[in-house]
């Protein structure tokens, strides 16, 4: 496997939209209720054929199929419909990237039902950042995030210069999850060595992704709480903090940045991928709404502006900071000491 096959050959935006739009969620849930994707498989069907196969009205099926086509889940050729490449890879159960079970369950949106109580209480009864809850919650979430972030992880690796400007990178992937961000680097830089860090039961899943993508011989693992682990005194060329600091909160994030600064050299980089609201917390709207997820799910987490990250990074010696659009709602922030 290489970096080209790691990236999907289709736009992942429809899946991202399904995560955020209750209408699309219900459309997909209905598609799975009708077993539509498996029914179509590698074939082409007309409205009347699919209406008969699913026990539906032709009028209802016509509106339904056209909506799925407009959203990128189906393709229409004259009067017949077939699965898009996205649906073949993500919604057929024999695919290793299958996430249909997640999209037809309330898993991705059920947290919003807890919003009123989180506002009243100031947070959840138990945050997902603690080990017990994290080891229950994140193995399910990382399956979805691995799909959502594959394409942008490849772009991030290109921006970082893995395999072009930099070869043989020593990478520390903190709160690695599926290791999607460091796998993209390892595929681009054939000499890269990665140390992946996460809770023990999450690391079990990390190993399966690393093995699946053919880079297991270059991975090492540290299992435990990222705040408490005794990191080896090693000069890492790159520290990855991808969608991690938002769940830690300001105080812990600043402690972590200081810790990781001490594990790097003057030529090393820290890569941060996060939502970046403005300092007044009024836009962009996706970042602000994600802040509500932090209220619902974490005891101290939040969203932080570019200015705040710059202040924290400069405190621990990172004076050169740049931002890069990687095709995601969360830009890549790269920080170095010189």
């Amino acid at each position: 496997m290489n970096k080209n096959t790691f990236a999907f050959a289709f736009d992942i935006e429809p899946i991202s939209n399904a995560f955020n739009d209750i209408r699309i969620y219900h459309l997909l849930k209905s598609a799975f209720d009708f077993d539509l994707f498996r029914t179509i498989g590698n074939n082409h069907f007309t409205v009347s054929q699919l209406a008969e196969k699913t026990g539906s009205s032709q009028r209802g099926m016509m509106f339904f199929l056209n909506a799925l086509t407009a959203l990128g889940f189906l393709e229409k050729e004259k009067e017949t419909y077939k699965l898009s490449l996205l649906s073949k890879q993500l919604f057929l159960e024999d695919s290793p990237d299958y996430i249909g079970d997640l999209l037809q369950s309330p898993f991705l949106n059920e947290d919003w039902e807890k919003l009123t109580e989180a506002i009243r209480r100031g947070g959840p009864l138990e945050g997902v950042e603690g080990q017990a809850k994290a080891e229950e919650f994140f193995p399910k979430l990382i399956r979805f995030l691995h799909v959502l972030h594959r394409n942008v992880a490849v772009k991030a690796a290109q921006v970082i210069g893995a395999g072009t400007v930099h070869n043989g990178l020593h990478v520390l992937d903190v709160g690695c999850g599926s290791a999607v961000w460091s796998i993209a680097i390892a595929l681009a830089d054939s000499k890269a060595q990665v140390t992946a860090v996460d809770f023990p039961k999450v690391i079990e899943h990390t190993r399966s992704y690393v093995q699946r993508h053919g880079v297991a011989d270059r991975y090492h693992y540290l299992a435990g709480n990222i705040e408490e682990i005794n990191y080896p005194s090693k000069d890492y060329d790159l520290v990855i903090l991808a969608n991690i600091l938002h769940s830690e909160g300001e105080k812990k994030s600043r402690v972590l940045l200081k810790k990781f600064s001490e594990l790097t050299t003057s030529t090393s980089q820290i890569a941060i991928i996060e939502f970046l609201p403005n300092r007044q917390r009024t836009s962009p709207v996706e970042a602000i709404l994600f802040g509500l997820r932090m209220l619902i799910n974490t005891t101290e987490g939040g969203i932080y502006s570019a200015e705040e990250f710059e202040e924290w990074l400069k405190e621990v010696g990172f004076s050169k900071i740049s931002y890069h659009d990687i095709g995601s709602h969360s830009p890549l922030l790269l920080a170095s000491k010189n």
Side-chain angles (χ1 to χ4, degrees):
M1 179 169 289
N2 58 42
K3 61 184 178 183
N4 295 320
T5 55
F6 186 65
F8 291 117
F10 50 81
D11 186 1
I12 204 69
E13 186 177 5
I15 297 300
S16 178
N17 291 339
F19 180 65
N20 294 312
D21 191 322
I22 194 66
R23 298 169 300 176
I24 301 174
Y25 163 75
H26 280 293
L27 263 169
L28 286 174
K29 188 175 184 305
S30 292
F32 285 106
D33 288 344
F34 286 119
D35 204 15
L36 188 71
F37 300 114
R38 183 161 49 185
T39 297
I40 296 176
N42 292 314
N43 302 305
H44 295 66
F45 291 104
T46 64
V47 170
S48 60
Q49 288 172 326
L50 286 170
E52 182 179 356
K53 285 179 176 292
T54 59
S56 307
S57 69
Q58 288 196 38
R59 180 174 183 266
M61 188 55 60
M62 178 188 67
F63 281 103
F64 186 49
L65 295 176
N66 286 339
L68 290 169
T69 301
L71 290 166
F73 301 121
L74 298 179
E75 294 178 1
K76 187 175 183 180
E77 295 180 356
K78 295 185 178 178
E79 299 305 315
T80 65
Y81 297 83
K82 67 176 184 177
L83 298 186
S84 66
L85 183 59
L86 179 153
S87 293
K88 285 183 178 180
Q89 193 151 350
L90 303 185
F91 297 157
L92 294 181
E93 293 180 16
D94 59 352
S95 169
D97 294 310
Y98 176 71
I99 57 169
D101 57 335
L102 292 179
L103 288 171
Q104 59 188 306
S105 77
F107 169 68
L108 296 175
N109 284 300
E110 63 186 352
D111 289 341
W112 290 109
E113 297 178 2
K114 305 172 186 175
L115 179 60
T116 301
E117 186 58 32
I119 295 169
R120 183 177 290 117
R121 185 186 298 276
L125 283 171
E126 181 184 8
V128 298
E129 67 272 29
Q131 182 170 348
K133 192 71 173 176
E135 291 185 326
E136 172 192 346
F137 176 79
F138 286 109
K140 291 185 287 187
L141 182 63
I142 62 176
R143 285 178 51 208
F144 180 78
L145 295 181
H146 187 79
V147 166
L148 196 65
H149 292 150
R150 286 236 309 249
N151 288 10
V152 294
V154 170
K155 291 182 181 179
Q158 292 169 348
V159 169
I160 289 166
T164 53
V165 178
H166 305 293
N167 287 283
L169 285 168
H170 287 271
V171 181
L172 182 66
D173 189 353
V174 181
C176 59
S178 72
V180 62
W181 301 93
S182 58
I183 288 172
I185 289 171
L187 290 171
D189 175 4
S190 61
K191 297 181 180 178
Q193 296 285 325
V194 180
T195 300
V197 186
D198 217 315
F199 289 115
K201 289 185 180 178
V202 178
I203 286 289
E204 292 175 12
H205 295 272
T206 309
R207 290 179 184 273
S208 66
Y209 283 100
V210 168
Q211 186 171 11
R212 172 185 158 192
H213 293 297
V215 291
D217 60 325
R218 292 184 284 127
Y219 265 73
H220 316 277
Y221 300 94
L222 289 175
N225 187 318
I226 64 172
E227 302 161 34
E228 300 169 358
I229 286 175
N230 291 320
Y231 294 88
S233 55
K234 183 176 183 179
D235 293 333
Y236 293 99
D237 301 306
L238 177 68
V239 177
I240 301 174
L241 291 162
N243 305 299
I244 296 302
L245 298 180
H246 57 239
S247 63
E248 297 300 313
E250 178 178 349
K251 182 178 178 181
K252 291 179 182 177
S253 291
R254 295 171 85 159
V255 170
L256 285 170
L257 289 173
K258 184 176 187 301
K259 182 191 296 277
F260 298 132
S261 175
E262 294 168 355
L263 298 174
T264 61
T265 69
S266 60
T267 60
S268 302
Q269 292 181 303
I270 283 186
I272 295 173
I273 297 102
E274 286 286 355
F275 282 98
L276 295 177
N278 63 16
R279 196 148 196 174
Q280 291 73 37
R281 308 295 198 274
T282 57
S283 69
V285 67
E286 281 302 322
I288 307 308
L289 291 177
F290 185 77
L292 284 174
R293 282 193 178 273
M294 293 299 95
L295 172 67
I296 294 168
N297 287 319
T298 70
T299 56
E300 297 181 45
I303 49 172
Y304 306 102
S305 66
E307 295 90 342
E308 287 166 301
F309 278 120
E310 288 186 21
E311 289 170 7
W312 304 348
L313 287 161
K314 287 176 180 177
E315 285 176 359
V316 295
F318 289 89
S319 56
K320 185 178 179 181
I321 298 168
S322 60
Y323 298 88
H324 306 271
D325 181 2
I326 54 174
S328 168
H329 48 58
S330 299
L332 167 64
L333 185 162
L334 273 182
S336 58
K337 294 177 181 176
N338 293 310

